[in-house]
Amino acid sequence: MAKKESGEILLVDGRDVRVTNPDKPYFSRDVKLSKLDVVQYYLSVASGAVAGIRDRPSMLKRFVDGAESPPFYQKRAPENRPEWLRTVTLSFPSGRTAEEVVVDDAAGLAWIVNLGCIELHPHAVRTNDLDHPDELRIDLDPGPGVEWGDVRRVSMETKKLLEDMGLRGWPKTSGSRGMHVNVRIHQRWTFTEVRRAALALSREIERRAPTLATSKWWKEERHGVFLDYNQNAKDRTTCSAYSIRPLPDARVSAPLRWEEIPDCEPGDFTVLTMPPRLKAIGDPNARMDDVAGSLDQLLELADRDEAAGLGDAPWPPHFRKMEGEPARVAPSRAKGAKAAKKESEATRKTASAKTPAKRTGTKSRVKMPLIVVANSPDKEAALAGLERWKALHPDAASHLAVDDVLVDSMRGRSTTWTRIRVNLRNVPEKTRPSQETPDPDDDPTRAWREAREKSR
């Protein structure tokens, strides 16, 4: 006889929503939160949280064993779902399609949170037009060791540039170490055009704040705060406002007023502080839909970049090779300066065919001396492995700059893990450690990749 699943029925907007295993621990470190606590948090901020995902297809990032265990990603809506829950069929760059969940109210919000979705991941489109985004997403992602003050400064530089472009940005903390700035736009441009505008914006911020910001896709080439233009590519999602992040203090992606940024701290906004904040000041994003703007000026900036010899930049790895895109290979894996030179020449020829304007030269990439020191689904275990590597190689570690440690969040089709690499560019060649077996070395995709190689 099947064991009856424990649960609690909540009446939400006139609909019954079952919370299964309500006492299951979801956070157990700095704060103690059960699954039911998480659902109740979202219901307490539903007016803001639903506004960020309403009428949008959403990817389900499911932490079924709580925030301290790895999640898995689910694009397709579960077959066993309420009849009142909407879905829409979304197509992806791979050519596949998926029927994704659309949340329109607090009941739908509670239902997906019960699935383990402690983060909310809507796409940048509305269901009335799945090919034309209504949101430009600016993701400010600080590298390891970058100070929060630098993130705030780049945020304010972003505000100034958006105003110069005739646009209004709506800032929020990412809920981790970064900042997001969302811009409501008219539904006139394709994903490719919106991404092109985001790339132009990223490059202009880098020009305005060269010591603080970077638009470089490859981590080994970055410094400071990375403006991730690829968050605007089709199929990409970012966590929306009021999302809980899987950190020990259960901090939240918090919408802000611009005047709050100089004094705010990410840890100020948690599951415990956000409900009273929303009640006291309202939702800072409440008027976002009233001020949709145009990308025309950003696209003109992109035209000027191309005329100056700045073509496209790398796309995410699961996208097909795009026209005008440079070689999609990290500098550390490039086959020497000769290959880099050929790539530069090809990029210039492609750009030359598009516009007769004069170009500037493109520098050849230098191969970076990178080694992998840790792979693990548990980020803390990977970071502990980094510390062990530093203890084994103290001389090399003493030469490392902050941005020489690359902490990569790796993602397969349904798994995630942390890879940590060390760039030895600042370590004298004679004393550089060689590549060793990473510690730990738990890459969840290895078995699949080895099986694929054997089948070839």
Side-chain angles (χ1 to χ4, degrees):
M1 193 172 187
K3 182 179 178 181
K4 186 176 180 180
E5 187 175 39
S6 63
E8 181 165 334
I9 304 295
L10 302 180
L11 182 63
V12 184
D13 292 343
R15 294 188 172 117
D16 288 340
V17 179
R18 175 182 288 275
V19 179
T20 56
N21 303 310
D23 298 326
K24 188 173 186 176
Y26 262 35
F27 289 83
S28 63
R29 295 177 183 173
D30 292 358
V31 295
K32 312 292 184 184
L33 297 171
S34 68
K35 184 180 187 180
L36 182 59
D37 291 331
V38 171
V39 174
Q40 290 175 331
Y41 158 77
Y42 273 110
L43 291 177
S44 71
V45 296
S47 61
V50 172
I53 61 177
R54 182 183 288 117
D55 195 36
R56 301 181 184 277
S58 290
M59 182 193 67
L60 305 178
K61 185 177 181 182
R62 299 180 60 180
F63 294 80
V64 293
D65 292 317
E68 289 141 24
S69 297
F72 70 90
Y73 296 85
Q74 181 175 338
K75 292 182 178 179
R76 288 170 174 78
E79 291 185 5
N80 184 20
R81 60 179 183 269
E83 61 181 13
W84 45 262
L85 190 71
R86 275 205 300 154
T87 62
V88 67
T89 300
L90 204 62
S91 62
F92 303 106
S94 64
R96 295 187 177 93
T97 61
E99 191 177 8
E100 293 206 356
V101 167
V102 178
V103 171
D104 292 312
D105 53 29
L109 175 62
W111 188 84
I112 66 168
V113 175
N114 177 60
L115 296 179
C117 299
I118 66 171
E119 295 180 2
L120 310 177
H121 279 264
H123 290 269
V125 290
R126 303 280 189 172
T127 60
N128 69 326
D129 189 343
L130 299 175
D131 295 317
H132 296 88
D134 73 329
E135 194 165 82
L136 171 70
R137 294 177 172 178
I138 304 166
D139 183 1
L140 308 182
D141 182 12
V146 174
E147 299 291 334
W148 173 246
D150 288 347
V151 178
R152 291 187 293 201
R153 283 188 280 274
V154 175
S155 300
M156 299 309 294
E157 197 66 54
T158 301
K159 175 180 184 288
K160 293 176 186 176
L161 175 57
L162 288 172
E163 290 172 347
D164 291 345
M165 299 290 107
L167 295 166
R168 177 168 178 178
W170 301 82
K172 67 183 183 71
T173 64
S174 71
S176 183
R177 300 176 58 246
M179 188 83 77
H180 297 161
V181 181
N182 293 333
V183 181
R184 188 66 76 242
I185 58 175
H186 299 297
Q187 292 174 290
R188 288 171 42 198
W189 297 275
T190 65
F191 278 97
T192 300
E193 291 169 322
V194 175
R195 176 190 171 277
R196 184 167 176 260
L199 176 58
L201 180 144
S202 300
R203 286 170 167 169
E204 179 62 19
I205 293 294
E206 184 175 25
R207 286 188 286 264
R208 294 186 179 197
T211 63
L212 297 176
T214 181
S215 64
K216 303 297 186 295
W217 173 250
W218 302 111
K219 285 193 175 183
E220 60 210 57
E221 294 185 313
R222 295 180 195 168
H223 66 274
V225 179
F226 170 51
L227 289 96
D228 189 355
Y229 58 89
N230 270 330
Q231 292 293 13
N232 294 276
K234 191 173 186 178
D235 193 22
R236 299 300 286 262
T237 63
T238 55
C239 73
S240 62
Y242 300 94
S243 288
I244 309 173
R245 305 308 300 274
L247 296 173
D249 59 357
R251 66 181 60 177
V252 169
S253 180
L256 301 171
R257 297 188 176 105
W258 282 110
E259 58 268 25
E260 294 181 286
I261 288 180
D263 299 315
C264 75
E265 293 292 337
D268 294 341
F269 311 107
T270 70
V271 166
L272 303 180
T273 64
M274 285 302 289
R277 171 181 163 86
L278 178 61
K279 185 176 181 179
I281 71 168
D283 179 14
N285 283 355
R287 291 190 54 248
M288 190 186 300
D289 287 339
D290 300 337
V291 286
S294 170
L295 292 180
D296 286 343
Q297 291 191 64
L298 277 176
L299 292 173
E300 288 173 6
L301 181 58
D303 289 339
R304 293 197 292 272
D305 282 345
E306 286 192 7
L310 277 176
D312 203 355
W315 285 67
H318 62 286
F319 279 69
R320 63 177 176 81
K321 179 74 168 160
M322 306 297 284
E323 183 180 355
E325 180 187 1
R328 197 180 295 175
V329 59
S332 60
R333 299 179 63 188
K335 295 181 179 179
K338 187 176 180 180
K341 183 178 179 181
K342 288 182 179 179
E343 172 198 332
S344 297
E345 291 173 350
T347 300
R348 286 198 295 273
K349 288 179 181 178
T350 301
S352 180
K354 292 183 177 180
T355 174
K358 184 177 179 181
R359 265 89 179 154
T360 57
T362 303
K363 293 182 179 179
S364 298
R365 285 175 173 165
V366 178
K367 185 174 181 179
M368 295 291 183
L370 266 70
I371 59 173
V372 179
V373 301
N375 284 310
S376 178
D378 184 339
K379 185 175 181 179
E380 296 301 320
L383 291 170
L386 170 64
E387 295 306 314
R388 289 192 293 272
W389 182 90
K390 289 180 177 179
L392 283 173
H393 305 285
D395 183 57
S398 68
H399 289 88
L400 298 180
V402 168
D403 51 2
D404 286 340
V405 177
L406 311 179
V407 182
D408 305 317
S409 180
M410 309 297 290
R411 176 177 165 185
R413 286 191 176 180
S414 61
T415 58
T416 61
W417 75 100
T418 296
R419 177 184 69 182
I420 298 182
R421 296 177 295 165
V422 172
N423 192 336
L424 302 175
R425 60 188 170 183
N426 291 314
V427 179
E429 285 193 37
K430 292 182 179 180
T431 60
R432 288 176 183 174
S434 58
Q435 177 66 64
E436 303 164 343
T437 301
D439 171 28
D441 189 22
D442 188 6
D443 174 351
T445 68
R446 180 179 292 109
W448 173 82
R449 287 187 285 107
E450 290 176 349
R452 184 183 64 174
E453 288 298 320
K454 288 180 180 179
S455 66
R456 288 180 174 178

